[in-house]
Amino acid sequence: MASKSAQTRPTMVGIGAGGHARVMIHTARRCGWEVRLLIDRCGQENGSELDGVPIQYLDDEAFLQQHLRQNPCEPVAVFIGTPDGSDARAAAYRKVKTAGIDSPNLLDPNAIIEPFVKMGCGVHVLSGATVAVGAALGNDALVNHRAIVEHDVIIGDHVHVATAAILCGGVMIEDRCLVGAGAVVLPGRKVAMGSIVGAGAVVTRDVPPATIVAGNPAKQIRCLSSVQVARRRVGSFLPIL
């Protein structure tokens, strides 16, 4: 049974029911929300739950249409955070916004967010992260645990800054990029649209569009194919690696 305090919180629905969803359930609670339901398009039989939140397995697009009719004021957040999941996040976010449903920002109270930070919609900043003065975070941006986004950094839409990554001052990360766990992007560098920075990489020069880089200093591993780039643009649920 839900606690009295949980019953008085506003509710939301989350799309996704994996490990990242567990993190977001508790992040949402610290932000004053209660996650009423999780939606996942693939998995087990209905009746499952995750940390006390029931999971409904069905197509998210069908659910959103039903949700809009029955609960038009209840927001829906994207709880997808797999390493190759920026495509899935983008697809789910786009469906939520196309349906006309709000996707709130979830900014963990244990994160440090300095003044004069600009944010889009559906932004998630997790516990221990720092977003410094003058930074800008695009729609559906995810700043994971202990990541550091320094002053005047610009992050585009559907970007995942993974755990403990560091974006130094003046960095630009364009749309649909992944900056891997523990990676460092040095001051003033740009990671162009659709690129992936491998875990632990140190980016000392600009990264071209649709490119995978890794190592210290970061070097190009390969370019994404035209098919993979197209999938990232449309927000496919297919893996890119």
Side-chain angles (χ1 to χ4, degrees):
M1 179 179 294
S3 67
K4 185 175 180 180
S5 61
Q7 291 173 344
T8 61
R9 295 175 187 149
T11 61
M12 66 166 59
V13 173
I15 296 179
H20 186 68
R22 296 191 70 182
V23 172
M24 294 312 303
I25 288 169
H26 299 286
T27 299
R29 287 172 179 166
R30 288 192 293 272
C31 293
W33 294 87
E34 190 63 26
V35 180
R36 179 179 65 83
L37 179 68
L38 296 174
I39 299 301
D40 201 305
R41 60 161 47 191
C42 53
Q44 308 154 23
E45 296 180 1
N46 288 329
S48 302
E49 63 175 41
L50 185 65
D51 289 2
V53 179
I55 304 171
Q56 190 171 354
Y57 293 100
L58 79 169
D59 179 77
D60 47 14
E61 207 159 348
F63 166 78
L64 289 171
Q65 293 304 318
Q66 173 185 322
H67 185 76
L68 191 59
R69 293 192 299 270
Q70 298 177 353
N71 302 285
C73 295
E74 185 179 49
V76 176
V78 179
F79 288 174
I80 300 167
T82 53
D84 60 354
S86 58
D87 298 346
R89 284 182 62 83
Y93 178 82
R94 189 182 69 250
K95 290 175 184 177
V96 170
K97 300 307 288 185
T98 299
I101 300 172
D102 183 40
S103 187
N105 292 348
L106 295 174
L107 312 177
D108 196 294
N110 296 315
I112 297 173
I113 300 175
E114 295 184 347
F116 305 108
V117 171
K118 297 179 181 179
M119 295 188 187
C121 299
V123 174
H124 298 169
V125 180
L126 303 192
S127 177
T130 298
V131 182
V133 60
L137 309 182
N139 297 322
D140 187 42
L142 168 59
V143 181
N144 222 313
H145 296 103
R146 297 186 291 108
I148 297 175
V149 177
E150 272 291 358
H151 65 88
D152 303 306
V153 167
I154 298 175
I155 293 176
D157 296 343
H158 316 298
V159 169
H160 182 176
V161 183
T163 301
I166 300 174
L167 307 182
C168 296
V171 160
M172 176 179 288
I173 310 293
E174 293 188 341
D175 295 354
R176 300 180 187 273
C177 288
L178 167 65
V179 180
V184 178
V185 184
L186 294 184
R189 300 298 91 198
K190 180 172 80 171
V191 179
M193 183 176 295
S195 290
I196 298 172
V197 177
V202 177
V203 176
T204 60
R205 60 183 65 186
D206 292 352
V207 177
T211 300
I212 301 173
V213 299
N216 181 7
K219 296 181 180 179
Q220 181 174 320
I221 302 301
R222 65 182 174 91
C223 295
L224 298 175
S225 70
S226 58
V227 173
Q228 290 168 325
V229 171
R231 287 173 181 168
R232 291 182 74 75
R233 285 176 179 164
V234 301
S236 166
F237 277 77
L238 297 174
I240 59 170
L241 294 176

